[in-house]
Amino acid sequence: MKNIKFNELKGQHAYFGQSIEDAVKRVLESGWYILGPELEGFEQEFAKFNGNKHAIGVANGTDAIEIALNALGIGQGDEVITVAHTAIASAVGVCQSGATPVFADIDPETYLIDPAHVESLVTPRTRAIMPVHLYGHPVDLTAMKAICTKHGLALVEDCSQAHGALFDGRKVGTHGDVAVFSLYPTKNLGAYGDAGVITTDDSDLADKCIKTRNYGQRATYYSVMMGRNSRMDEIQAAILREKVKRLDDMTEYRQRIGASYKANINGLALPVTRDNCSHVYHLFVVRSERRDWLKEQMAERGVGTLVHYPLPVHMQESFEFLGLKEGDLPETERAANQVLSLPLHFSLDDDDIKYVADMVNEVVASS
């Protein structure tokens, strides 16, 4: 019996080899550790990769949300429509900005924000829609932009699980007013610690984000607006510069695993890919009404799995203040009880991938 972990980051480090260690050494020898040439280089290279005019490195993805919303003038008393089927960081970032998250239900096939429900949630207090490109598949951005245009709202893309994914031939993060990316180690483009990046084509918005991340300073010791400390350090930036060079190759690797799973797993609801989209498989998520039993059976066969996400944000104790309850978002709650993520990482070889698929089929056949 094999022992396959749900995730294993060592394989990715081996994939990059000496280049990562050389990048870290370059920073250590330079003596420049904050807001230096490595960050400037990463920002330019990521903006070019993604197709944006500007990229602004920050300390983490949650800060990226807060800073981006505040740069749009969104804060206390405002509402931002997003989803509860996501990592809690998405909603926390909205709250940190001073705004209130309003949760739309999801499409049961893609697990992404349902445009039809979004329309019904717009109020005079709504200032933005923040769809999450969950699991690596883009949201229907045509529908999102139409709603934003109709109601005069900002479109903020949460791309934290979809680096490099395409919608209508363009990368996510280029369709809205501003976009945010987490660069947490497990992401498709991950640092070796916490990091995040904001992208936009709006130069004034970019300037506000740049100032905000560093105490609102226009220049050293000269603050022109209220800001905060949210700076990506030079070591993380240097590592990310090496990784973004090969992000397309890493995406192809993930897509190959995803394609193999889809071709060989039977009897479960598998990820879908819409015609005008590419899926970058941050996670490979299957669905079963007997999810917990499936998870237990896979563990007995040496395969680690994980649930993304077992408790929707609107049912979390920390978000009780919103006054929502079980039953308010039926598709979101149903998904939370049925989804299961299979291993998908750089330590998997072809035999491992086949073993995972075979074990899923064995368990399903025995049910």
Side-chain angles (χ1 to χ4, degrees), residues 44-249:
Q44 293 168 6
E45 290 152 16
F46 187 76
K48 181 179 180 180
F49 167 84
N50 211 56
N52 296 103
K53 290 182 180 178
H54 306 282
I56 304 97
V58 294
N60 55 70
T62 312
D63 282 0
I65 295 170
E66 175 188 353
I67 291 169
L69 291 176
N70 286 162
L72 287 165
I74 295 171
Q76 198 71 36
D78 297 326
E79 294 177 347
V80 175
I81 299 173
T82 186
V83 288
H85 185 62
T86 182
I88 200 168
S90 298
V92 169
V94 173
C95 291
Q96 284 184 176
S97 77
T100 300
V102 175
F103 298 123
D105 213 350
I106 59 171
D107 177 284
E109 288 191 338
T110 62
Y111 310 111
L112 303 174
I113 195 166
D114 181 355
H117 193 207
V118 170
E119 185 85 33
S120 70
L121 296 173
V122 176
T123 74
R125 295 175 60 189
T126 307
R127 294 288 309 282
I129 301 174
M130 190 179 78
V132 180
H133 301 299
L134 198 70
Y135 299 155
H137 190 289
V139 165
D140 183 347
L141 289 164
T142 300
M144 291 297 102
K145 287 196 285 186
I147 296 170
C148 287
T149 299
K150 178 180 177 181
H151 296 282
L153 307 175
L155 178 58
V156 181
E157 296 180 67
D158 185 340
C159 308
S160 296
Q161 296 190 8
H163 312 70
L166 300 175
F167 180 83
D168 277 349
R170 285 167 46 202
K171 290 188 173 73
V172 299
T174 64
H175 299 262
D177 297 279
V178 65
V180 297
F181 297 76
S182 168
L183 304 174
Y184 184 75
T186 59
K187 303 300 184 183
N188 290 30
L189 178 64
Y192 279 20
D194 275 317
V197 65
I198 301 165
T199 62
T200 184
D201 290 340
D202 186 323
S203 296
D204 289 338
L205 196 63
D207 185 61
K208 290 177 182 177
C209 292
I210 290 168
K211 289 185 175 74
T212 300
R213 73 176 176 191
N214 190 34
Y215 305 115
Q217 294 184 138
R218 180 186 68 245
T220 303
Y221 305 133
Y222 291 89
S223 178
V224 296
M225 58 183 285
M226 185 59 65
R228 55 171 302 172
N229 180 350
S230 183
R231 303 174 298 209
M232 182 192 298
D233 68 69
E234 287 286 280
I235 288 178
Q236 300 305 337
I239 291 168
L240 289 162
R241 292 184 73 183
E242 295 304 313
K243 296 183 80 172
V244 77
K245 292 175 186 176
R246 301 179 67 179
L247 183 52
D248 285 335
D249 293 337

Side-chain angles (χ1 to χ4, degrees), residues 5 34 57 107 257 360:
K5 297 179 180 179
I34 296 289
D107 177 284
I257 296 174
V360 171

